[in-house]
Amino acid sequence: MAVQNRIKIQNITYPELDIYVREREAQLKFRPAHQPGIFIAESPIVIERALDAGYEPISLLMEDAHFDKQGRKIIERCGDIPVYTAPFEVLTQITGFQLTRGMLCAMYRGELPSVEEACRQARRIAVLENVVNPTNVGAIFRSAAALNMDAVLLTSACSDPLYRRAIRVSMGTVFQIPWTFLPNDEQYVELLRHLRFKTAAMALCDDSVSIDHPSLRQEEKLAIILGTEGEGLAKSTIEQCDYTVRIPMSHGVDSLNVAAASAVMFWELSRES
């Protein structure tokens, strides 16, 4: 395939590759005021899902061997952007490259929707409070997309869903489900109530109800609120919610990892129809 904008590289010192190799995620996200933020999509399936969602590509980086094979379809979709190619042994100098299925794409971030816009058609949403591990964020998005959640909202302390690890773990489902950050961490339960959502805090409390409690399924609009990996939800959040919900456990286990707990809860709610 003849592409005029193909650039063959022999090492990863090229300054054009800084966004892939040397710039940190915070540097990519928070560009100078006149430049939009950037994220990196890894692997063909993730890149295609980002393109399907309307994200604008900046450049591609891939193995030489992929240029005329797996890369052909993606290159054709990306228009006149630089396509950097290199031998596999060169690209493996990039940390984690072996997890990318041989292909990376730098893309511009878009404007996030408002909470109202993200939830406009939603009946079931997930709310993440201070979930800081990008692996957990990515896994929660994958479960949310697969198990009929309509949107995901995040407090400001959460890991960014467009960080590379979060995108990779989500398998690109961060591009398939509406999401945004909440504007006020202290008053978000009140905002959800204003949007007519009942709220269900995932927490171990004396007054917790089981995830199969019939009232949960009967709610027209329900927000499942999940807390940080170590301490869980803030006490003030739990006190504001309409329900406190637990997953029945055995063998003396008191809790699950937040990503696992989210999948169990989402699956239970997905059985309602």
Side-chain angles (χ1 to χ4, degrees):
M1 178 172 55
V3 174
Q4 293 182 345
N5 50 338
R6 180 179 183 178
I7 303 167
K8 295 184 178 182
I9 60 175
Q10 300 304 317
N11 59 69
I12 61 172
T13 63
Y14 285 58
E16 295 88 343
L17 302 186
D18 283 350
I19 56 177
Y20 295 105
V21 183
R22 285 168 286 278
E23 291 193 35
R24 297 181 179 180
E25 304 234 51
Q27 291 176 284
L28 295 177
K29 181 179 180 181
F30 301 108
R31 310 291 285 181
H34 62 286
Q35 297 180 3
I38 294 171
F39 68 91
I40 306 296
E42 304 179 338
S43 84
I45 187 172
V46 170
I47 294 168
E48 289 204 80
R49 285 177 173 170
L51 292 172
D52 290 344
Y55 287 91
E56 180 184 351
I58 301 169
S59 64
L60 286 158
L61 174 63
M62 66 182 68
E63 294 178 45
D64 287 331
H66 288 347
F67 184 78
D68 286 313
K69 296 178 182 178
Q70 296 98 318
R72 178 186 294 270
K73 180 180 177 182
I74 291 174
I75 292 170
E76 290 174 349
R77 292 188 63 184
C78 286
D80 188 26
I81 64 171
V83 181
Y84 302 103
T85 69
F88 177 75
E89 58 271 18
V90 171
L91 294 181
T92 52
Q93 298 174 43
I94 301 173
T95 302
F97 187 81
Q98 289 174 298
L99 301 174
T100 69
R101 303 295 177 91
M103 198 176 303
L104 299 169
C105 184
M107 294 183 158
Y108 288 119
R109 289 171 175 263
E111 290 290 330
L112 288 177
S114 67
V115 172
E116 292 79 5
E117 290 169 336
C119 297
R120 183 162 292 150
Q121 303 298 325
R123 291 187 61 246
R124 300 287 182 260
I125 66 173
V127 181
L128 311 189
E129 181 179 285
N130 304 340
V131 179
V132 298
N133 187 315
T135 298
N136 285 333
V137 170
I140 292 169
F141 265 87
R142 189 171 182 181
S143 295
L147 298 171
N148 293 319
M149 292 292 107
D150 300 313
V152 179
L153 306 178
L154 307 95
T155 62
S156 61
C158 285
S159 181
D160 189 337
L162 293 186
Y163 279 171
R164 291 168 73 158
R165 182 181 293 274
I167 296 174
R168 182 170 68 240
V169 172
S170 83
M171 290 296 293
T173 54
V174 295
F175 307 120
Q176 296 179 306
I177 185 169
W179 64 272
T180 196
F181 282 95
L182 290 154
N184 188 307
D185 289 359
E186 285 73 35
Q187 298 178 3
Y188 75 81
V189 176
E190 182 178 333
L191 173 59
L192 294 173
R193 187 172 293 115
H194 176 72
L195 296 175
R196 297 180 27 245
F197 282 94
K198 294 290 186 177
T199 50
M202 298 290 292
L204 299 172
C205 297
D206 292 339
D207 60 349
S208 296
V209 300
S210 177
I211 61 171
D212 60 356
H213 194 283
S215 295
L216 297 172
R217 296 189 183 188
Q218 293 167 6
E219 295 294 353
E220 180 183 356
K221 300 177 73 173
L222 185 66
I224 304 301
I225 304 180
L226 301 133
T228 186
E229 293 86 347
E231 299 176 358
L233 290 172
K235 182 179 178 181
S236 59
T237 299
I238 297 171
E239 291 173 346
Q240 293 178 73
C241 286
D242 299 294
Y243 299 94
T244 307
V245 182
R246 69 179 185 279
I247 299 172
M249 306 272 178
S250 63
H251 294 94
V253 177
D254 64 352
S255 64
L256 295 175
N257 164 274
V258 64
S262 74
V264 173
M265 187 67 204
F266 300 162
W267 178 83
E268 177 63 33
L269 287 176
S270 73
R271 300 195 306 132
E272 63 186 353
S273 57

